[in-house]
Amino acid sequence: MAKPSLRSRRGGWPELSRIPHPRRRVPVVGDVLGIDPGTPVQDSLRMARELGPIFRRKVFGLEIVVVSGADLAAELADESRFTKRVVLAVHNLREIGGDGLFTAHSHEPHWQLGHDILAPGFTREAMERYHPVMLAMAHRLTAGWDAHAAAGTAADVSADMTRLTLETIANTGFGYDFGSFDRTGQHPFVAAMVRALRRAQGPTVPRPIDPEKSRRLGRRGAADAAYLAAVVDEVVRERTERPDPGAQDLLSLMLHTRHPRTGERLSPENIRHQILTFLVAGHETTSGALSFALYYLARHPGVMARARAEVDEVWGPAGEPSYRQVGKLRYLRRVLDESLRLWPTAPGYTRAARTDTVLGGVHPMRAGAWAIVLTPALHRDPAVWGPDPERFDPDRFLPERVRARPAHVFKPFGTGERACIGRQFALHEATLVLGLLLRRYELRGDPGYRLEIAERLTLMPTGFRLTPVRRRPAAPAAPPGSADAAGAAGTAEPAGSAG
Ligand code: MNH
């Protein structure tokens, strides 16, 4: 345990010293020993285990206060005392996201305007409109997995979930198609986005300054930003060249609607920022959530069997699930929630004090001072989640158990007015896809695989592969050898021979 020192070296705020920091603090550079620049979240999670519900971590001159205690997180959720803070890592993303919804300061005019104009794109009615498009994108995924099944090969789960979620947000939100499933490698949009997210995350430890290398990085960054801007141009050009008067998607809301009260419209520049924001925020985290859920399903055969039994019962053996049938997969939703508990793919959010205040009676904050809620740590607070928070157990999300917990202990989508606008979109898409995969395949993981997580502001499993095996068609509806089963096998063949 770190021993609280009595005096603050910064002076003026001796109280800061009352919260612990890692033991091996190095002059000037800070708390960097044993720290890997690529995994700030997983390192902070380890520190939280040792240092408790609130600690400070110093990286160069910057002292970050990290919160993982449920009581403190509940305080920080009080919108009258705290508000979202656009911290450096998010600010760095303004190079591509500008004053789009995610990177905007709450006081910037385009935040409220954008929020109000885009809100109709996330209603229940909107989800019902997206549902058939989501289904069509999921069928592209299963066509690929049918080919794996036919060839007996394994799928790279995160890569395929990224193909799926990128096509889903692009097609539902913008009527735009990246063709991700038609290429073997990563789409250049995804590559440029991942590099941008990594650059924004920045090095958490100082690296030797190599001027040639930093020039190279600068050029790379400018090239990526230019490329991403070109993609946005293309999205807008397609819509303006082939106007779709019936379109009721995010793009038409941005281009053609006014604020319901003030009549204001989004500026052309802001629209560009919003498009990129939604293309990125709308797929990267959902892809991670799906990948983690599939990882936990493969690791827990009992959970997988129960989830599959639910799908078979609620959806039946064949046919397209309706919008409403997706919402009925209550157990599968709990699997998703439990995956997001252990690995919330947007692993934190930052809260700044609106006025001078004291957090938890221990940590005085000036107006503007901020703390980060580290959600993977909050989601493991033993005071809330019990003595074995690492255990994967979807029944933690049984309604009566959720009701028995205090508020603000499960925050994978952030908090308050700046919480995720795409929550229902993501949950519907992910539940739909998991249901389709469970109904269609046995999923075989590599028992030797050990979870490895890449960090780039978001969390994503890497190297996780699954071999899909077509299930025997469910007994009564389609006995083996029936037209149904033969038809299904037949569609797999051409794709299989290609792969
Ligand atoms: Mn999403 C904000 C997590 C899916 C669009 N999202 C947030 C925040 C979290 C978050 C956490 C709050 C960040 C902060 O306080 O700084 N989002 C997720 C997760 C998933 C997700 C874990 C999937 C799982 N998000 C989506 C999808 C979309 C989307 C899908 C769009 C279709 N998210 C956003 C936008 C914001 C946001 C836009 C910013 C909202 C605002 O500040 O007004």
Side-chain angles (χ1 to χ4, degrees):
M1 273 284 123
K3 223 191 247 140
S5 60
L6 293 175
R7 279 182 311 120
S8 162
R9 285 196 287 126
R10 287 203 294 161
W13 284 94
E15 299 90 341
L16 248 188
S17 304
R18 284 204 236 149
I19 60 176
H21 63 73
R23 221 173 333 170
R24 299 177 296 166
R25 176 164 277 188
V26 184
V28 186
V29 289
D31 302 315
V32 297
L33 287 179
I35 295 310
D36 180 332
T39 53
V41 170
Q42 291 162 87
D43 291 336
S44 296
L45 182 55
R46 269 192 295 277
M47 290 179 188
R49 259 184 215 124
E50 193 191 328
L51 299 172
I54 180 168
F55 69 91
R56 57 212 165 94
R57 189 181 167 181
K58 193 169 183 178
V59 179
F60 265 146
L62 186 67
E63 186 140 53
I64 301 172
V65 174
V66 181
V67 166
S68 54
D71 295 348
L72 299 175
E75 258 190 66
L76 289 170
D78 181 344
E79 292 273 83
S80 68
R81 289 174 65 198
F82 300 95
T83 182
K84 168 163 169 163
R85 160 80 178 228
V86 177
V87 291
L88 185 61
V90 177
H91 189 268
N92 289 341
L93 277 179
R94 285 174 67 101
E95 188 192 4
I96 59 171
D99 58 356
L101 274 191
F102 182 75
T103 41
H105 303 281
S106 301
H107 55 76
E108 278 178 290
H110 269 120
W111 179 72
Q112 190 75 59
L113 183 60
H115 176 85
D116 293 349
I117 284 182
L118 283 156
F122 293 92
T123 58
R124 193 203 133 95
E125 292 68 36
M127 297 307 132
E128 288 200 61
R129 287 198 303 275
Y130 304 147
H131 176 78
V133 184
M134 288 184 177
L135 261 174
M137 299 305 120
H139 289 323
R140 292 188 189 172
L141 172 72
T142 54
W145 282 31
D146 282 357
H148 280 297
T153 51
D156 177 333
V157 172
S158 296
D160 276 348
M161 293 308 120
T162 298
R163 288 187 172 90
L164 171 87
T165 54
L166 177 61
E167 293 307 332
T168 300
I169 184 62
N171 279 273
T172 57
F174 304 92
Y176 185 80
D177 203 301
F178 281 92
S180 304
F181 285 104
D182 302 331
R183 54 169 71 232
T184 40
Q186 193 177 41
H187 194 285
F189 179 83
V190 173
M193 172 198 76
V194 166
R195 283 193 297 268
L197 291 172
R198 269 215 201 95
R199 271 194 301 275
Q201 174 171 285
T204 49
V205 295
R207 289 173 184 155
I209 293 161
D210 170 349
E212 180 43 37
K213 193 172 175 199
S214 66
R215 261 196 300 278
R216 229 173 25 242
L217 279 173
R219 281 197 300 271
R220 178 89 260 185
D224 284 341
Y227 169 74
L228 293 170
V231 171
V232 171
D233 281 341
E234 183 62 26
V235 169
V236 176
R237 174 144 31 87
E238 271 203 17
R239 180 62 53 94
T240 35
E241 277 173 10
R242 289 185 288 129
D244 178 357
Q248 281 183 289
D249 58 8
L250 300 180
L251 187 55
S252 73
L253 285 171
M254 293 180 198
L255 292 173
H256 306 303
T257 62
R258 297 167 175 279
H259 189 276
R261 260 194 342 275
T262 65
E264 256 180 294
R265 312 179 71 131
L266 298 176
S267 73
E269 196 200 1
N270 179 260
I271 290 175
R272 304 177 54 86
H273 288 143
Q274 304 286 14
I275 292 172
L276 203 50
T277 296
F278 277 90
L279 286 177
V280 174
H283 91 278
E284 162 80 359
T285 46
T286 311
S287 167
L290 273 162
S291 303
F292 281 112
L294 285 165
Y295 164 76
Y296 282 114
L297 283 164
R299 278 288 294 264
H300 299 274
V303 173
M304 175 119 76
R306 205 174 143 190
R308 177 174 289 129
E310 179 185 59
V311 178
D312 286 347
E313 190 196 314
V314 176
W315 288 3
E320 302 275 63
S322 68
Y323 172 83
R324 288 195 52 225
Q325 278 176 312
V326 175
K328 288 191 170 150
L329 298 179
R330 302 313 300 167
Y331 184 69
L332 194 49
R333 249 309 291 283
R334 297 207 283 279
V335 169
L336 206 49
D337 281 346
E338 178 68 345
S339 304
L340 282 168
R341 179 183 70 84
L342 286 167
W343 295 112
T345 47
Y349 53 92
T350 42
R351 303 287 288 169
R354 289 184 191 269
T355 54
D356 293 0
T357 186
V358 179
L359 178 64
V362 295
H363 177 47
M365 298 169 82
R366 288 271 193 233
W370 55 272
I372 180 160
V373 178
L374 185 69
T375 33
L378 170 67
H379 293 170
R380 287 168 169 80
D381 182 348
V384 171
W385 302 97
D388 192 7
E390 294 294 338
R391 192 167 55 89
F392 181 81
D393 174 12
D395 283 341
R396 293 180 196 270
F397 287 92
L398 280 168
E400 61 272 21
R401 291 179 66 183
V402 172
R403 278 194 301 273
R405 281 193 290 268
H408 306 300
V409 298
F410 180 58
K411 290 284 188 182
F413 294 98
T415 196
E417 63 176 9
R418 301 298 301 270
C420 183
I421 199 172
R423 179 170 177 268
Q424 296 307 337
F425 184 105
L427 291 172
H428 186 82
E429 176 185 11
T431 310
L432 169 66
V433 171
L434 290 174
L436 289 170
L437 294 178
L438 286 172
R439 186 170 70 169
R440 195 168 180 87
Y441 311 104
E442 300 284 347
L443 298 168
R444 312 235 160 109
D446 167 4
Y449 174 75
R450 298 216 20 211
L451 184 59
E452 200 178 305
I453 301 172
E455 298 189 22
R456 46 206 191 206
L457 296 185
T458 62
L459 304 178
M460 182 72 81
T462 55
F464 175 53
R465 304 170 74 79
L466 280 174
T467 305
V469 177
R470 284 296 299 271
R471 290 173 72 201
R472 299 260 142 264
S482 74
D484 220 349
T491 54
E493 259 157 32
S497 57

